[in-house]
Amino acid sequence: MSEPPALDVLLPADLAGTRLGPDPTEAALRALWTRPPGPGTGAHPEGPWVRAVMIGTLDGAAAGPDGRTGSINDAADHRVFTTLRALSDVVLVGVGTARDEGYPGALDLPEALVAARGADGFAPGLPLAVVTRSGQLSDALLAGDARPYVVTHAGCPRLDALRTEVGAERLLVHGDDDVDLRGAVAALAAAGLPRIALEGGPSLLARMVTLGLVDELSLTLSPQLVGGDAPRMLAGVPFLDPVVPGRLVHLLHADGVLLARYALGRVEG
């Protein structure tokens, strides 16, 4: 495997011009992404903290022609993506994205980042939480010994089957006829998983943003035009009124790829 690319810091101003070379522990990247996102906030704010991790193209596509993000990302995006997973208690994803992207039931991290997680106060393992209305899980999610958390609602037609497939302790039931995402986020935090990496897809992200549940957006801008009818980053919701503003916290660059961190929602400043 080729060496990951160096990342040049464009913002914030006090770090502009810094080059972040490859590092198995990603100490500099971890420090950058755990900087307080705004005045009055700490590196790890109190309560649940949801960071959306997304990629988009120049023409606004959230996936490539094959319907997957793998066809529009690159090594720079992968480097940041993996580091952000290491800075999370749990990865939250919609069941459609889990199926399309081939998510396994357990998420692996490089050995050096597992050790770094411990130094940052995280558990060694990184669990997955899958949001589903139908309760239909892909075979990949149920392969092996580890099982994901499953977030669903009381009316899910496969509720009893899910208790057998993932175990009652990993089944989070919130809402009557649809998934109560606010309750689900609170339940993950109560289970000791407050720092949540939301990896999509666009429908789940849109619902979370509409409910005001997304605190940060880490966005990779891929320098490609793909055309077609690929989904946008937010899908399935009307225009937001009022719109949700973002404040740029930092910006990195590598070979035309821009990697940004935006503060949303509760952060002031």
Side-chain angles (χ1 to χ4, degrees):
M1 182 180 295
S2 61
E3 187 174 76
L7 303 174
D8 294 315
V9 181
L10 305 182
L11 292 171
D14 63 317
L15 295 177
T18 303
R19 171 159 284 201
L20 308 181
D23 171 14
T25 70
E26 295 294 10
L29 268 183
R30 286 167 33 234
L32 189 60
W33 250 276
T34 52
R35 268 190 162 200
T41 62
H44 300 299
E46 294 296 323
W49 189 262
V50 178
R51 172 186 282 136
V53 184
M54 300 294 288
I55 186 170
T57 64
L58 295 179
D59 55 341
D66 60 356
R68 304 178 65 174
T69 58
S71 58
I72 59 172
N73 66 15
D74 73 344
D77 175 68
H78 181 72
R79 183 180 169 190
V80 170
F81 180 82
T82 304
T83 301
L84 294 182
R85 279 189 168 183
L87 292 172
S88 306
D89 292 306
V90 63
V91 169
L92 181 66
V93 68
V95 71
T97 295
R99 179 193 62 242
D100 295 342
E101 300 283 350
Y103 276 67
L107 301 172
D108 294 325
L109 289 169
E111 185 175 338
L113 281 179
V114 173
R117 280 173 64 78
D120 288 336
F122 294 93
L126 177 60
L128 177 70
V130 181
V131 178
T132 174
R133 293 186 179 97
S134 68
Q136 294 287 347
L137 304 182
S138 67
D139 292 340
L141 287 172
L142 300 175
D145 297 329
R147 292 291 183 268
Y149 286 89
V150 174
V151 179
T152 190
H153 58 100
C156 173
R158 298 195 70 251
L159 208 54
D160 291 338
L162 288 172
R163 289 193 181 93
T164 300
E165 291 171 349
V166 303
E169 71 284 356
R170 293 243 163 182
L171 186 60
L172 306 179
V173 181
H174 292 275
D176 296 325
D177 301 318
D178 199 356
V179 179
D180 174 8
L181 293 172
R182 195 181 304 280
V185 167
L188 288 171
L193 306 170
R195 287 162 285 187
I196 300 168
L198 172 60
E199 295 183 3
S203 296
L204 177 58
L205 176 58
R207 293 174 63 202
M208 294 279 284
V209 167
T210 300
L211 291 170
L213 294 174
V214 181
D215 302 291
E216 286 191 22
L217 170 64
S218 289
L219 172 64
T220 296
L221 182 61
S222 176
Q224 304 178 52
L225 299 169
V226 300
D229 58 356
R232 295 172 56 194
M233 192 183 311
L234 301 185
V237 294
F239 283 106
L240 301 179
D241 185 16
V243 299
V244 176
R247 182 177 55 79
L248 186 60
V249 178
H250 66 237
L251 182 65
L252 311 181
H253 170 265
D255 297 325
V257 177
L258 296 175
L259 306 111
R261 178 190 181 195
Y262 289 94
L264 308 175
R266 76 178 78 168
V267 177
E268 300 177 355

